[in-house]
Amino acid sequence: MSGKGFTVAELLVGALFAMVVVGALYGFYREQLFRLLAQEVKTATLEDTRGALDLMLREIRQAGAWLAGGAPSGCARIVEATSTRIRIQADLDGNGDCASATGEDVLYTLAGPTATCPGATIRRNGDCLASNVVIPAGHELFSYYSRGGHLLAEPLADLDLVERVKITFAVQVRSPDPKALAPVESVLASSVELRNN
């Protein structure tokens, strides 16, 4: 060094170090940004699907609510029960039938996509309740248990044995990170005891 300045080589080395530091900071902040966005997507997905799960649990819990006393003619607490479908009935307004009020005859199904609901869907009476549904490995959308917690095998021979219904599903959405290979997934599971026998 000859006096009061820096040589070109020293300036280039300093610039190189500065670029390495800026590049590392950019990579760190980019990764943190996409993690935050993925967490926001997961939280929003969970909020939406938790509402769907809560509705399913509430309506299944009310199955067999006969406000007029006994079961009206042609009505049953559980009409159909498979791993991908459940149809329940109740007489919520006490008028002696299972079809006059909202929520008295409800069918939940696992079905394909619609024009407005992408991916596999959970439908309530044909309307999309949750989209982009995936059933986790080793689980069923609906599992049925008798008194004492015994898993009932399909096909269910006696629907009156069902005391508890377990619902398990996941919702997958595309990750906001363009480099991510896996989608963002939120898994929901809950059980509901049937109140009315």
Side-chain angles (χ1 to χ4, degrees):
M1 190 163 146
S2 64
K4 298 183 180 181
F6 295 101
T7 65
V8 172
E10 290 172 333
L11 289 174
L12 288 175
V13 169
L16 177 64
F17 282 133
M19 287 191 316
V20 168
V21 169
V22 168
L25 286 173
Y26 172 78
F28 173 78
Y29 285 118
R30 182 183 184 285
E31 183 178 323
Q32 293 305 313
L33 172 67
F34 283 123
R35 282 188 184 177
L36 175 67
L37 290 174
Q39 191 61 42
E40 286 180 4
V41 166
K42 186 170 188 161
T43 301
T45 302
L46 271 173
E47 287 176 5
D48 292 344
T49 52
R50 194 168 282 138
L53 180 63
D54 288 346
L55 175 64
M56 294 168 73
L57 294 172
R58 186 173 60 250
E59 288 186 330
I60 291 171
R61 186 176 293 116
Q62 292 177 355
W66 316 122
L67 296 186
S73 176
C75 295
R77 177 178 71 138
I78 300 175
V79 177
E80 180 182 358
T82 69
S83 62
T84 59
R85 298 169 62 91
I86 185 170
R87 182 175 171 209
I88 49 122
Q89 292 180 330
D91 181 16
L92 301 176
D93 58 7
N95 69 348
D97 70 30
C98 297
S100 60
T102 301
E104 287 191 340
D105 190 348
V106 179
L107 172 65
Y108 288 105
T109 59
L110 180 64
T114 67
T116 57
C117 249
T121 58
I122 296 175
R123 297 186 193 168
R124 180 189 179 276
N125 291 343
D127 296 327
C128 182
L129 190 61
S131 61
N132 296 312
V133 172
V134 176
I135 305 303
H139 294 277
E140 304 288 346
L141 176 59
F142 300 110
S143 302
Y144 305 95
Y145 295 85
S146 65
R147 189 176 308 275
H150 302 295
L151 179 63
L152 299 171
E154 283 191 57
L156 299 178
D158 185 359
L159 296 176
D160 290 332
L161 293 177
V162 176
E163 296 291 327
R164 180 169 59 98
V165 179
K166 182 178 180 186
I167 305 168
T168 306
F169 65 97
V171 176
Q172 290 182 343
V173 293
R174 202 173 111 220
S175 174
D177 185 351
K179 293 182 179 180
L181 300 176
V184 175
E185 182 174 283
S186 300
V187 179
L188 293 106
S190 191
S191 292
V192 59
E193 302 280 339
L194 287 106
R195 289 182 180 164
N196 310 295
N197 293 327

